[in-house]
């Protein structure tokens, strides 16, 4: 990694939690300058705009989240184990609140009507996360673990949206009960998939 690449990465790592906590509109270049201890020229020498830093920050946070999920389901052999590990990951992660919460929820909520480029990036990540769930279910069906009548795509949408909804309500009410309930409901649904 070159010095310029290291500097860009440093800026992204410092800016990402700020954008995730304060939002796109609420984050100023001054906030990023303060976090990085770089002058405005140091930021603009590496990025053309706040928007470019924001997009890179979202990608960084989404990739981190995906990597953490991959680690949580890595080593699991059955589809049920993988789905349960995914649910347990979200259940435990809610309490940690790393990087200011769920970047999909935070960036997506703000960008849905105001930032078409960010909206598209969030949509791509949502599709990637839903596909992961759907593929796990399909794997379970292919290896005879899960019933064939389950619509993998529909359940993936249900699971993903219930998780994201539980994150939102749990954060707003500062209470993890909703996530715990949603995880229990989804685990009970998954138990019904088993042949």
């Amino acid at each position: 990694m070159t010095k310029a690449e290291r500097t860009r990465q440093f800026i992204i790592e410092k800016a990402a939690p700020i954008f995730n906590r304060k939002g796109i509109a609420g984050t100023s270049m001054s906030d990023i300058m303060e976090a990085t201890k770089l002058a405005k020229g140091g930021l603009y020498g590496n990025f053309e705009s706040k928007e470019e830093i924001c997009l890179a920050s979202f990608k960084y946070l989404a990739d981190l989240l995906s990597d953490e999920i991959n680690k949580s389901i890595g080593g699991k052999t059955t589809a049920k184990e993988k789905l349960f590990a995914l649910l347990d990951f979200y259940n435990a992660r809610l309490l940690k609140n790393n990087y200011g919460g769920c970047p999909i929820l935070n960036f997506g909520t703000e960008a849905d009507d105001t930032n078409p480029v960010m909206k598209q990036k969030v949509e791509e990540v949502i599709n990637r996360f839903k596909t992961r769930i759907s593929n796990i279910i399909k794997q379970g069906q292919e290896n005879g673990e899960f019933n064939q009548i389950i619509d993998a795509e529909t359940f993936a949408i249900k699971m993903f949206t219930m998780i994201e909804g539980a994150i939102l309500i749990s954060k707003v009410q500062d209470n993890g009960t909703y996530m715990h309930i949603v995880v229990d409901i989804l685990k009970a649904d998954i138990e019904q998939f088993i042949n």
Side-chain angles (χ1 to χ4, degrees):
M1 191 180 280
T2 66
K3 183 179 180 193
E5 290 169 336
R6 283 194 307 272
T7 302
R8 278 181 63 90
Q9 187 61 32
F10 171 75
I11 293 168
I12 292 166
E13 289 175 10
K14 292 295 186 181
I18 299 169
F19 278 114
N20 205 26
R21 285 187 183 100
K22 294 181 80 172
I24 300 166
T27 300
S28 67
M29 289 300 277
S30 297
D31 293 327
I32 300 168
M33 288 167 52
E34 183 178 324
T36 61
K37 307 298 185 225
L38 293 172
K40 194 175 269 192
L43 296 179
Y44 284 116
N46 289 281
F47 293 93
E48 290 184 18
S49 64
K50 180 179 106 169
E51 174 85 6
E52 187 181 359
I53 300 171
C54 181
L55 289 167
S57 294
F58 173 70
K59 181 182 181 327
Y60 169 75
L61 291 170
D63 288 348
L64 269 181
L65 179 58
S66 186
D67 290 347
E68 289 175 10
I69 290 170
N70 288 338
K71 286 177 190 166
S72 75
I73 64 176
K76 308 296 186 226
T77 54
T78 69
K80 175 187 166 184
E81 287 173 343
K82 289 177 183 179
L83 291 174
F84 275 35
L86 179 61
L87 290 167
D88 291 339
F89 166 81
Y90 276 103
N91 210 2
R93 189 175 198 274
L94 184 68
L95 302 175
K96 293 179 186 172
N97 194 20
N98 296 347
Y99 305 103
C102 178
I104 298 167
L105 181 65
N106 293 346
F107 284 80
T109 301
E110 187 173 0
D112 67 341
D113 292 323
T114 60
N115 189 325
V117 175
M118 181 58 74
K119 180 180 178 181
Q120 179 188 352
K121 296 298 180 190
V122 173
E123 183 179 359
E124 290 168 7
V125 171
I126 289 170
N127 289 333
R128 192 171 84 210
F129 279 59
K130 284 188 317 187
T131 299
R132 175 192 283 124
I133 296 167
S134 177
N135 286 342
I136 293 171
I137 295 166
K138 289 175 185 173
Q139 171 208 345
Q141 289 173 319
E142 288 167 10
N143 68 23
E145 179 187 352
F146 287 161
N147 191 312
Q148 292 295 322
I149 64 168
I150 297 139
D151 184 321
E153 303 294 328
T154 300
F155 188 78
I157 292 168
K158 175 182 175 178
M159 183 169 164
F160 182 79
T161 56
M162 285 180 72
I163 289 168
E164 289 297 316
I167 292 169
L168 172 63
I169 295 169
S170 294
K171 295 273 291 168
V172 168
Q173 294 193 349
D174 201 22
N175 183 339
T177 303
Y178 290 91
M179 180 60 80
H180 303 316
I181 291 169
V182 163
V183 166
D184 289 345
I185 289 168
L186 289 169
K187 283 184 176 182
D189 287 351
I190 293 163
E191 289 284 2
Q192 293 177 19
F193 293 175
I194 297 172
N195 277 326

